[in-house]
Amino acid sequence: MVETKESKTGLLERLRNSIPQEWILSLKAPEPRRIFLSVKREHFKEAMTKMLKDEEITHLSTITGVDLGEEIEVIYHLDKSGTILSVKTTTPKSQPTLPTVTDLIPGAPLYEREVHELLGVAFDGHPDLSRLVLPEGWPPGLYPLRREISIENIRSALEKAKEEKKVG
Amino acid sequence: MVPAEIIEFLSVLIYPGFIFIFTLAFFYEWVDRKFVARLQNRYGPLYAGPGGILQPFADFIKLLAKEDITPRAADKTTFRVTPILMLALALSTLFFIPTAYTTAVSWFEGDLIFVTFLVSILVLITLIAAWSSTSTFSTVGGIRVVLQMLGFEIPMTIVMVGPAIVSKTLSITNIALWQYTTGHYFAIYQPIGLIVLIICLLAEIKKAPFDIPEAESELAAGWITEFSGRKLALIRLTTDVELILAGALVTALFLGGPTGPFGIPSVIFFLIKTTGVILVISNLRALFARFRIDQMLGGFWKYLVPLALLQIILVTLGVG
Amino acid sequence: MDEERVIIPIGPQHPALKEPMNFMLKVEGEKVLEAIPNLGYNHRGIEKAATVRTYIQNLYLAERICGICSIAHVQCYAQGVEKLLEMEIPPRAQYVRLILSELNRLHSHLLWVGVAAHEIGFDTLFMYLWRDREIVMDTLELITGNRVSYGFTMLGGVRRDISPDMAARVKKEMKTVRDRTQYYKKMSSNERSILKRTQGVGILKPQDALALCACGPTLRASNIKWDVRREDPYLAYNEIPFNVVTSDGCDVLSRMIVHYDEVIEATNIIEYALDHMPSGSFREKVTRRIPAGEVVSRVEAPRGEDIHYIKSNGTDKPERFKVRAPTLGNIPAVCKMLSDSYIADVPIILAGIDPCFSCTDRVTFVKGEMGKGWIWTQEELRRYANRWYQQR
Amino acid sequence: MEHELLRNLRKKVATEKYPFIKKKPPEGLRGKLIIDMAKCIGCGLCVFDCPAGAIEMIGKGTAADLKVYLDRCHFCGQCAESCPSKCIVYSTEFELANFDKKNLTIEFKRKL
Amino acid sequence: MNVVKWARSKSPWIIHFNTGSCNGCDIEVVAALTPKFDLERFGVLLKGSPRHADVIVVTGPVTNQVKERLKRVYEQMPSPKFVMAIGTCACSGGVFKDCYNLCQGVDKVIPVDIYVPGCAASPEAIIDGAAKLLKKISG
């Protein structure tokens, strides 16, 4: 647990007290009105539910997915009266799954779909994660924002898919 | 001595027939566009001819020279025939309304009713044209055309009867002449009727705020979406002829038709009066936002029909 | 399959949407039962491209996420990178940027109201608004030299200073803009045909707006006082007095009013900022390498909350650059508004959120998340659409 | 609103007759770029910083020629910013429409 | 024949297609139609249906998603038809050169008649392009 600057709203303090220590990997406020909270994957949903309820948070700004190499980090940017609370959790890249938050936040489905499509993270319990549509003929399993995929990779994969379509 | 048949033939073909009407149609489109542009603080057409006066003509020639596509899904025969039919109908309607001379090219006792009939048929042909192109936009546009007709048809017919009652004739030509000879202009004596008629005609010629069937921001180009090339040229020409039709009808029924003092040729009076009507129409076009179809229908039935009836009651009571 | 129901595809090439986007409307008569958005026509892959470019090059990429809110995006990006550098830009630069941001808001809002007027078939108002918007464009041209992509915000400051001459002219223009806007506001709230088309149309209740994470003027028109400039102040917004405008109509009309009021508010902000501009330098040198770290940066773009996430690994290229443009946040809200409306109201409702799909689509794809009561599957719908287009 | 319409009828038209009457371009407008090859030191910073890859360097160092693709150039001005010898200038010429893309490539050669 | 050429050069109806641009060029195209620049002086009308249009104004670098639609809209237009590529993105892809979902310019998909570079191409530049194109049409 590292902490550099105190948050104005006292949200940091409250979070530190309300969320069990063993759920948290790190909790820091690098600058005013920004809090980064890293949660263990298995406690993610619980922590999220608790936080949303305790702090009465309704606004989810967005969900960011970051490819860390071995793992994929998913960041939920929540807003609590001007403070951005970024809740992080990670999931292994070999089989990336996370529980959905659409039941907690009705505005979340689009963001989850975005992460699903571009990084391949499956969200358990999402109402409609079916085939997401990059352009027609996009090769399945090609997640453009993954680290090992370069732009040349994507181009050649697209070419290949196009030719296969022509042959087939 | 030129035989009477040839004179009649020429009058249908050239003056005051086709050529005259087409020229006038292009002229009035230009007036309309230019006036609206001016109201919107811009020039409008400027470089085609002096002041852009040849703009509608250029549009027409260009469309004639363009490729003419018939969509594969369309009903080919109907799709091809309807634009011609529409133009023919609009033109023949115009022959019953006095334009260049104090009398119309053809007139008989009861042509007022016949004109109302032709106008309705024109709307129905629009529906067929829209239907035959089978695209979603056109179909919805076509349905809106007919819905719109349900709104304006009744009040329009009612107010057109007003002048007929007073002048005791069912011929448009005679109504116009009656006004001139008695000096009893209906624009002064039946103002409600005039207003209702102009609003209904706006809806009839599908100009804003009643351009609902062609609403660009909702339905691409509405019922004309699929027409291109020559067909589109004809349709545009029809719209312009309808503009004259609206102007001429108001002129004949409420402004005394192409008549006036001082022995000046009657066509001059006709031009002045119709241009006036068209400027009013253009002004209304610039003034309002487009109505929604249900609002339009509701408005017509709630306000215009009672107003039209009120006018008739006033007329029968001797006022007007 | 229900034969009586017609599906109207709105887009991707459609005059109501200035940008390509596809909405499938399921209609019955003139009533819309449901709307299904299909984004992605504008997807370019900016987030990926950003990772292979230097921070300096990304400045221009960020500007071109959206041509209308260019200042907002580039401000958000630059602010994030400056935070990573742990630097404060000179106060004068902050004011210049703030003035630019507000000018950006001005032209975007006037543009929007114009487009909204066009959508309800009121072209005269559209022409007038765009004519008066040119005043703002001239002002922007005066300050930056260009009309749309300014290339003005640099890492560490701004490219040019605002001279006293410019300031005087800008102030003069602001007065004109304010007067005109006040006139239009009065006119719009009195003109019957506008009221008929906008009042009670596209209702978004406050609780729905909150739940669906709407933002910006859309949220404020649902009577929720939430503005990034106030909640999470950046630049010099905490030094400048301004109101967060709200309206309680929850419909398109109140969105219009909010836009007008924000224009008036923005002209006041610009005048205040021009009067209180601190002196000093307007730019500082910045290193090409950015220290490792991560930052979440957000600004109030004209359309709402714009949020960027930048992760740096200590090189001259970012490791991850994530953009969430305001329009995406408002799409669930607009689907809610569209259901149970008239076809004729669709354009104005869509326009009501002030959509900017080029911002939105840089990575995102949405395809029908409104599943309830829908009798066609996605696949059938797609096939239908394909067939429909082939016939043409 | 009618009042406003009539007012506009009397007012002068807002339109500028652009292609026939040209107004002075604003200061700082970034149009076609011009490179003064006499000053160029061939450092390649402009090529490195250009976000669109619009500048190409043929040859190396002080002997290099530069080729500018105007069809790729975004007129952002970063090259002029980066250039240490300040040899890149933006002119105010913006009327660059052309029928052929090839005509949009300008070569800047060193005078020998 | 000359009358037809004259008519064509006096009455170019345009359809505007955004193929994934940043909106900058789009607002400038629209701005070119509004009072300050007023393209209607040249007889330009903005049409909603490709069937009515003579000139397709393309803005944007053409995303893979929109490529097919662009082709289809182009095919729906009756000939003679002309293509204007507005803005640097439409000319070559420009700043989006290594974005993965792009075709790098309109000319990769449909033949282009006139290129108008600029970012964003100002209304003046667009009018200049239009005037050049019209001159070419009138021969």
Side-chain angles (χ1 to χ4, degrees), chain B residues 33 40-47 55 58-59 61-62 65-67 69 221 224-228 232 236, chain E residues 4 6-8 10-11 13 35 38 40-43 45-49 51-54 76-80:
Chain B
R33 271 172 76 173
Q40 293 175 345
N41 210 341
R42 57 195 177 90
Y43 282 114
L46 194 61
Y47 302 127
Q55 187 63 52
D59 289 347
I61 299 285
K62 178 209 70 179
K66 274 200 88 128
E67 187 191 0
I69 302 173
I224 40 176
T225 303
E226 296 295 328
F227 290 94
S228 59
L232 184 63
R236 278 183 70 87
Chain E
V4 172
W6 168 83
R8 263 178 206 152
K10 291 296 179 200
S11 159
W13 293 355
D38 192 24
E40 204 188 343
R41 285 180 293 146
F42 298 91
L45 287 182
L46 183 64
K47 286 287 162 181
S49 161
R51 298 248 190 256
H52 301 179
D54 308 292
Q76 278 177 19
M77 287 169 57
S79 56

Side-chain angles (χ1 to χ4, degrees), chain C residues 204-231:
Chain C
L204 183 70
K205 294 199 185 77
Q207 64 268 30
D208 288 335
L210 275 180
L212 294 169
C213 303
C215 58
T218 311
L219 187 64
R220 288 195 285 276
S222 290
N223 206 15
I224 287 166
K225 213 170 179 139
W226 194 82
D227 189 318
V228 176
R229 289 177 293 173
R230 175 61 54 83
E231 300 287 328

Side-chain angles (χ1 to χ4, degrees), chain B:
Chain B
M1 189 67 199
V2 192
E5 286 85 5
I6 293 190
I7 290 181
E8 201 165 317
F9 181 72
L10 284 179
S11 77
V12 168
L13 199 66
I14 297 168
Y15 182 83
F18 293 135
I19 305 284
F20 173 67
I21 288 174
F22 289 160
T23 321
L24 209 56
F26 291 138
F27 174 68
Y28 282 147
E29 192 197 332
W30 174 77
V31 169
D32 179 45
R33 271 172 76 173
K34 201 72 182 171
F35 188 63
V36 169
R38 201 61 192 72
L39 288 175
Q40 293 175 345
N41 210 341
R42 57 195 177 90
Y43 282 114
L46 194 61
Y47 302 127
I53 197 162
L54 294 177
Q55 187 63 52
F57 182 65
D59 289 347
F60 185 70
I61 299 285
K62 178 209 70 179
L63 284 173
L64 280 187
K66 274 200 88 128
E67 187 191 0
D68 196 348
I69 302 173
T70 308
R72 223 182 313 154
D75 182 333
K76 304 222 167 32
T77 326
T78 330
F79 191 75
R80 279 183 202 137
V81 169
T82 39
I84 303 168
L85 215 55
M86 278 173 70
L87 182 60
L89 261 174
L91 280 173
S92 40
T93 315
L94 211 46
F95 285 146
F96 294 98
I97 302 171
T99 48
Y101 303 119
T102 42
T103 51
V105 174
S106 165
W107 65 275
F108 54 90
E109 192 59 37
D111 59 12
L112 181 65
I113 296 169
F114 190 57
V115 164
T116 352
F117 166 73
L118 285 181
V119 168
S120 322
I121 294 287
L122 199 57
V123 176
L124 289 177
I125 300 238
T126 314
L127 170 71
I128 296 172
W131 202 265
S132 69
S133 46
T134 63
S135 102
T136 327
F137 293 130
S138 325
T139 316
V140 175
I143 293 168
R144 285 180 173 192
V145 170
V146 174
L147 278 177
Q148 199 156 299
M149 186 180 106
L150 294 179
F152 71 77
E153 190 71 9
I154 307 287
M156 188 164 98
T157 319
I158 296 175
V159 292
M160 273 159 75
V161 172
I165 296 175
V166 176
S167 57
K168 299 194 177 56
T169 168
L170 271 175
S171 156
I172 297 175
T173 304
N174 286 345
I175 292 176
L177 279 175
W178 188 86
Q179 290 179 61
Y180 178 59
T181 46
T182 57
H184 186 99
Y185 288 96
F186 293 115
I188 302 161
Y189 292 92
Q190 300 187 10
I192 306 176
L194 178 66
I195 293 165
V196 172
L197 183 66
I198 289 184
I199 295 175
C200 290
L201 283 171
L202 259 181
E204 209 282 321
I205 58 176
K206 301 184 270 295
K207 288 260 184 235
F210 305 113
D211 56 345
I212 309 169
E214 290 161 17
E216 185 220 25
S217 47
E218 295 152 33
L219 291 172
W223 66 276
I224 40 176
T225 303
E226 296 295 328
F227 290 94
S228 59
R230 280 192 295 279
K231 298 188 198 85
L232 184 63
L234 290 183
I235 288 175
R236 278 183 70 87
L237 189 57
T238 312
T239 332
D240 295 343
V241 171
E242 279 182 281
L243 193 61
I244 307 180
L245 190 66
L249 205 58
V250 173
T251 309
L253 289 179
F254 286 88
L255 300 172
T259 55
F262 314 127
I264 300 168
S266 51
V267 65
I268 305 286
F269 290 106
F270 174 72
L271 285 179
I272 293 170
K273 287 174 184 173
T274 4
T275 312
V277 175
I278 281 161
L279 289 184
V280 170
I281 289 180
S282 308
N283 191 329
L284 290 175
R285 183 153 90 88
L287 190 57
F288 291 110
R290 186 187 306 122
F291 288 99
R292 220 162 57 196
I293 188 83
D294 60 313
Q295 289 169 344
M296 182 258 170
L297 280 177
F300 270 64
W301 280 101
K302 256 186 264 166
Y303 303 112
L304 289 196
V305 173
L307 274 178
L309 286 172
L310 175 73
Q311 180 66 72
I312 295 301
I313 291 167
L314 285 178
V315 167
T316 39
L317 289 177
V319 190

Side-chain angles (χ1 to χ4, degrees), chain C residues 53-54 56-57 59-60 64 122 124-125 128 131 138 141-142 144-146 149-151 154 159-160 180 183-184 187 191 283 288 316, chain D residues 1-8 11 14 16 23 26-31 45 47-52 74-78 81-82:
Chain C
R53 295 175 188 214
T54 63
I56 290 175
Q57 288 174 328
L59 204 56
Y60 302 102
R64 280 159 187 80
F122 202 167
T124 309
L125 181 58
Y128 287 169
R131 180 193 67 199
D138 286 345
E141 212 174 26
L142 175 78
T144 68
N146 288 274
S149 304
Y150 311 103
M154 314 297 291
R159 190 176 275 183
R160 267 164 62 175
R180 297 301 304 165
Y183 169 76
Y184 292 130
M187 200 269 287
E191 175 73 33
R283 195 171 169 186
R288 277 172 185 266
D316 60 351
Chain D
M1 189 66 195
E2 180 62 40
H3 171 73
E4 178 75 10
L5 286 183
L6 295 177
R7 215 170 64 85
N8 273 298
K11 227 163 95 179
E16 291 168 2
K23 67 164 191 188
E27 190 198 338
L29 174 77
R30 294 186 297 270
L45 260 182
V47 180
F48 181 76
D49 271 349
C50 179
H74 271 271
F75 310 98
C76 64
Q78 182 58 43
E81 287 280 320
S82 300

Side-chain angles (χ1 to χ4, degrees), chain C residues 104-266:
Chain C
N104 188 207
R105 193 181 318 280
L106 270 184
H107 103 76
S108 173
H109 277 13
L110 287 176
L111 173 144
W112 177 81
V113 188
V115 169
H118 172 71
E119 306 300 11
I120 56 172
F122 202 167
D123 277 352
T124 309
L125 181 58
F126 162 71
M127 291 291 180
Y128 287 169
L129 277 161
W130 278 63
R131 180 193 67 199
D132 295 337
R133 174 180 168 269
E134 287 297 328
I135 301 173
V136 184
M137 296 309 276
D138 286 345
T139 317
L140 280 164
E141 212 174 26
L142 175 78
I143 296 176
T144 68
N146 288 274
R147 281 173 59 96
V148 169
S149 304
Y150 311 103
F152 196 73
T153 311
M154 314 297 291
L155 294 180
V158 289
R159 190 176 275 183
R160 267 164 62 175
D161 199 4
I162 296 182
S163 68
D165 269 8
M166 284 180 192
R169 244 193 85 185
V170 173
K171 259 163 78 182
K172 210 178 108 221
E173 305 286 32
M174 282 311 110
K175 200 179 165 311
T176 327
V177 173
R178 187 165 50 231
D179 289 351
R180 297 301 304 165
T181 314
Q182 255 147 2
Y183 169 76
Y184 292 130
K185 187 188 166 194
K186 205 173 119 218
M187 200 269 287
S188 303
S189 36
N190 288 321
E191 175 73 33
R192 286 283 301 270
S193 61
I194 296 183
L195 292 183
K196 264 195 148 9
R197 290 300 306 277
T198 54
Q199 218 164 22
V201 169
I203 296 278
L204 183 70
K205 294 199 185 77
Q207 64 268 30
D208 288 335
L210 275 180
L212 294 169
C213 303
C215 58
T218 311
L219 187 64
R220 288 195 285 276
S222 290
N223 206 15
I224 287 166
K225 213 170 179 139
W226 194 82
D227 189 318
V228 176
R229 289 177 293 173
R230 175 61 54 83
E231 300 287 328
D232 187 7
Y234 54 99
L235 291 178
Y237 277 112
N238 47 5
E239 298 166 16
I240 289 178
F242 70 99
N243 294 324
V244 177
V245 182
T246 56
S247 170
D248 55 2
C250 308
D251 54 6
V252 174
L253 179 68
S254 45
R255 272 162 227 148
M256 239 170 163
I257 300 292
V258 164
H259 278 84
Y260 282 132
D261 282 342
E262 285 190 4
V263 167
I264 294 167
E265 207 54 54

